[in-house]
Amino acid sequence: MKTILTIAGSDCSGGAGIQQDLRTITYLRQYAATAITALTCQNTLGVKSVNPVSTDIVRQQIDAIVTDLNIDAVKIGMIPNLSCAKVITETVKALSCPIVYDPVMVSTSGTRLMDEDCIEYLASHLFPLCSLVTPNIPEHSILSPYLQSTPYLRKGGHAETEDMTDILYMPDGSIHSYSAPKIESSNLHGTGCCLSSAIATYLALGLDLPQAVGKAKETVTHAIELASHHNIGHGNGPILPL
């Protein structure tokens, strides 16, 4: 069994963040350890507040995990501020395992989840450590100048198309495309978290990056399809990798 460390925010309604990562990694029958960067008060209707965890506590969580557990991959999600960005970068750079970063910048409901001054620091210090960065289309429009030397997956969930197409760009110029039919559903909360934690899990299991992305895409598609038959909450419900 492989151990995946997820460093991300907590979603008290269980649809995204740490909770979705745990659900996804467990669905893939691997072990998840967690370090929480922020406590969000949110539900399917939107984010009510974002409360960053102190950088000292973030550091202690990660240190407690990496000094005891053998970490096979890391998934990084919400990084709320610059001090947290620095602690995460400093602690993960000593690890010899795949690192997948999902740059959670703004919530689906429009709430900013990352301070502006984080971006250049992350681009200079964290991106070079990453096996993959997974921006959605709006995030890609901001981060594209910084992504030239890092493998990245531009997620297509925001595109108004019949197929949902994600495109993997490699530093050597090669491109891999992954498409799945669009599933009509009002339950799409946590898709990015599910995808990035699934990619990290498949990398931990030994798949190469294009294979890991392809298998993770299948996992997310299954989770969206399953969630389309259920109603959890009164808004954008969670996907269900179960």
Side-chain angles (χ1 to χ4, degrees):
M1 179 178 288
K2 302 298 184 180
T3 298
I4 293 83
L5 166 60
T6 170
I7 305 170
S10 170
D11 172 1
C12 61
S13 69
I18 287 286
Q19 288 84 347
Q20 185 64 259
D21 294 342
L22 282 167
R23 188 178 298 116
T24 300
I25 295 165
T26 302
Y27 168 74
L28 297 175
R29 304 182 66 82
Q30 306 306 310
Y31 185 80
T34 67
I36 297 174
T37 60
L39 301 175
T40 69
C41 301
Q42 64 176 293
N43 54 30
T44 65
L45 299 174
V47 179
K48 311 304 179 183
S49 67
V50 177
N51 308 279
V53 173
S54 75
T55 52
D56 184 54
I57 296 299
V58 173
R59 185 189 299 277
Q60 287 187 52
Q61 290 179 86
I62 299 173
D63 285 347
I65 294 164
V66 302
T67 56
D68 181 36
L69 307 184
N70 180 30
I71 303 302
D72 298 293
V74 176
K75 175 266 169 85
I76 302 172
M78 181 182 171
I79 300 177
N81 51 46
L82 181 59
S83 59
C84 184
K86 290 180 177 179
V87 164
I88 291 171
T89 302
E90 290 167 4
T91 51
V92 302
K93 68 182 179 182
L95 301 177
S96 300
C97 65
I99 298 173
V100 177
Y101 174 41
D102 180 17
V104 183
M105 302 172 73
V106 179
S107 73
T108 302
S109 59
T111 301
R112 177 170 284 278
L113 302 175
M114 177 193 291
D115 289 349
E116 190 70 29
D117 59 0
C118 273
I119 297 174
E120 288 197 10
Y121 177 85
L122 292 170
S124 299
H125 296 85
L126 182 60
F127 285 12
L129 304 177
C130 292
S131 307
L132 183 70
V133 179
T134 63
N136 59 31
I137 291 174
E139 291 160 351
H140 178 259
S141 67
I142 298 170
L143 297 175
S144 57
Y146 307 105
L147 289 168
Q148 304 310 311
S149 59
T150 302
Y152 70 94
L153 182 71
R154 191 189 71 176
K155 299 176 291 188
H158 287 75
E160 297 296 328
T161 57
E162 292 186 2
D163 288 339
M164 296 291 95
T165 301
D166 302 337
I167 303 175
L168 174 62
Y169 296 88
M170 303 293 284
D172 64 5
S174 61
I175 296 174
H176 304 264
S177 182
Y178 308 85
S179 293
K182 185 175 183 178
I183 299 170
E184 293 300 328
S185 176
S186 59
N187 302 319
L188 298 171
H189 189 45
T191 51
C193 304
C194 177
L195 180 66
S196 54
S197 56
I199 293 170
T201 302
Y202 283 119
L203 289 174
L205 288 167
L207 276 66
D208 66 25
L209 186 54
Q211 292 174 325
V213 172
K215 293 289 289 183
K217 178 77 169 178
E218 293 175 5
T219 300
V220 171
T221 301
H222 158 77
I224 294 172
E225 198 282 329
L226 181 60
S228 70
H229 302 291
H230 298 273
N231 289 306
I232 298 175
H234 295 86
N236 180 26
I239 64 170
L240 300 172
L242 300 171

